Amino acid sequence: TKKIEELTSNTSSQKERLEQARREIKEIREKWQPKVRLLAHRLSGEYAKHFREMKCEGEIKVYPEPDNEIVDYDQYGLEIWVRFRDGSDLQKLSKFRQSGGERSVSTMLYLLCLQSVTQTPFRVVDEINQGMDTKNERMIFDRIVRSCALQNSGEESPQYFLVTPKLLPNLHYPEGSDISVLTVYNGYGMLPAEEWDMESIIQSVKKASRKRKERE
């Protein structure tokens, strides 16, 4: 009988501690969850704006839903939903539903949206244009310029490094944007750096461009 009483007492004590822990978790969640959803809503608004300008649709969602009483915080996360074609529904971004180019565009636009809620001295993106067609690559470049070199220009703005093995010709570098293009001339068979005449190369490119315009 004594053993049963001890076990009963221990069970009651454990239940009280469990209920107390659940109340504390609920209090923390009620403070934390609205802030996370507000931040996600802000990101989703910027994300949707980018997609509307592409005549597509995009959205960022927090899962699980607000009324879900899930306790494990490792089950919370962000989902990206996109639609690239008319007549289709929004679909969650995954390797099974979108092409490689569509995933690259979706990911790059998400990273651009993150810039509005984060503060870092510089950002580096490596070969994000891989897998994109020329239309999407040009569009992403224009959005990077608009987001980083125009809207956030100035001494206090973060630097943005776009590393790529290639750049499309005739990209738009708007007046007033703080952009530098650094080309690495390296590899077997390349001329030594001191033998490069960049002014001559620039003049040749300009001359070729004028001739192309005359033919058009």
Side-chain angles (χ1 to χ4, degrees), residues 164-176:
T164 177
K166 65 180 181 68
L167 278 176
L168 290 173
N170 302 318
L171 290 171
H172 180 53
Y173 302 94
E175 185 177 354

Side-chain angles (χ1 to χ4, degrees), residues 4 62 66 162 204 210:
I4 293 175
V62 178
L162 177 62
S204 296
R210 286 194 299 268

Side-chain angles (χ1 to χ4, degrees), residues 193-209:
E194 59 271 13
E195 296 184 22
W196 278 92
D197 185 354
M198 291 304 301
E199 184 61 31
S200 176
I201 294 174
I202 292 172
Q203 294 302 321
S204 296
V205 171
K206 288 182 177 179
K207 183 178 180 180
S209 178

